[in-house]
Amino acid sequence: MCCIEKCRFLTRPGRSLRQEAELMKELDHPGIVKLLDCVEDESRLCLVMEYIPGGDMFHNIAQQGRFPETQAARLLRQLADALSYVHSKNIVHRDLKPENLLLTCPDRDLMQVKIADFGISRQTLSSEDCQTYSGSRDYRAPEVIRASMISNSKQNASSHCKGYGKAADMWSLGVVLFVMLRAERAFDTFDSVNREIIAGLPLSRLGEKSWHDVSEEAKDLVRSLMQQDPKIRLTAEQVKSHAWLS
C-alpha cells in the first residue's frame, strides 16, 4: 500500500487527487503494477497495489551488480512496451527510477519488470503539459530542471513557463539503462547533479574505459534516450525497434 499526502500534490483544475488515482485503476498492462483500490481520509489517499514478490531493481543491482546486456535488453524491452502503453493514454509517470521498477522474482533469467508508483504521474492534454518540479534528482530530465529554474526566477516570474511531457520519462529510462549496464550512478556528485544533467556530462562517460565491454548498440541507445533536446529523444515506440533490442 502506498499513501499520498494530499497537500503535496496539485491536480488539474476540477479534478480531485482521487479522480487522478482512479485513472490509474484503468491501466491494464503486464508491465505495470496494478492499482486495485483507493482508500482516503481528509489528509491522505492510500493506494492498494498488486503484490510483486521480487523486490525492486535498485536492490537487485545492489546485491547482484550490473545486468549482462542480454538480460538488460530483455527488461528494457518490457519497460519500453509498458511506457508506450502509458504514453498512449497520455499519462506521464514523472518518477521512473530503479526503486520504482518491481521484479517478479530475484532470478534475472526469469524475472519480469513492472513499473510501480504512479503517485506523481499526470495525465496530459498536450506534449508539454506538466510544469511542476517532480521526480528523483538523478533521473530528472533537463527540461524538468529548466522549467523549475524559469518558474523560480524573479526575472521570469511573470512569463509563461514551458512545461514538459512524455519525453521526460524517456530521459529517465536512459538513466535507468545507464545504471543497469554499469551498476553505478550516472552523476558523480550530489551537489552538481543539475549542472551535470544540463551539461550532458553523463554521455561523455560512455567513452571511458569502464564502458569498453558495453556494446556500441547499447551505448547508442543510452545516447538516444539522454538527448538534451526532448524533441529528438527516442519515444517508447522507437525504443522497441532499436537495434540493441532486435
Side-chain angles (χ1 to χ4, degrees), residues 1-3 18 37-41 44-48:
M1 179 180 290
C2 171
C3 292
R18 184 183 180 92
D37 199 7
C38 303
V39 182
E40 67 178 322
D41 58 23
R44 297 187 305 169
L45 177 70
C46 294
L47 309 178
V48 182

Side-chain angles (χ1 to χ4, degrees), residues 108-192:
R108 289 183 169 180
D109 290 325
L110 300 175
M111 66 175 52
Q112 305 292 315
V113 63
K114 292 174 179 277
I115 301 175
D117 197 357
F118 280 79
I120 62 171
S121 64
R122 285 293 301 271
Q123 186 174 48
T124 68
L125 298 180
S126 68
S127 62
E128 296 178 337
D129 197 46
C130 301
Q131 294 188 351
T132 53
Y133 189 52
S134 61
S136 300
R137 176 169 43 189
D138 280 15
Y139 298 86
R140 290 182 185 126
E143 61 269 26
V144 178
I145 297 169
R146 292 192 185 101
S148 173
M149 290 177 173
I150 293 173
S151 63
N152 291 333
S153 169
K154 293 181 180 179
Q155 180 179 354
N156 295 286
S158 61
S159 65
H160 173 68
C161 177
K162 188 175 182 180
Y164 58 92
K166 302 169 187 175
D169 282 346
M170 303 314 297
W171 169 280
S172 301
L173 184 65
V175 183
V176 168
L177 178 56
F178 187 110
V179 173
M180 291 175 72
L181 293 173
R182 294 307 313 154
E184 61 186 28
R185 296 176 64 240
F187 307 98
D188 290 329
T189 63
F190 286 110
D191 293 338
S192 63

Side-chain angles (χ1 to χ4, degrees), residues 66-112:
R66 64 177 181 164
F67 279 85
E69 283 196 39
T70 53
Q71 295 171 343
R74 183 174 65 83
L75 295 179
L76 198 86
R77 188 180 299 108
Q78 294 174 19
L79 289 172
D81 192 58
L83 277 178
S84 178
Y85 171 79
V86 169
H87 290 172
S88 74
K89 304 293 184 182
N90 290 323
I91 293 173
V92 183
H93 186 279
R94 303 202 299 171
D95 197 21
L96 203 66
K97 58 182 179 179
E99 293 91 329
N100 288 338
L101 302 177
L102 302 188
L103 307 169
T104 55
C105 69
D107 188 332
R108 289 183 169 180
D109 290 325
L110 300 175
M111 66 175 52
Q112 305 292 315

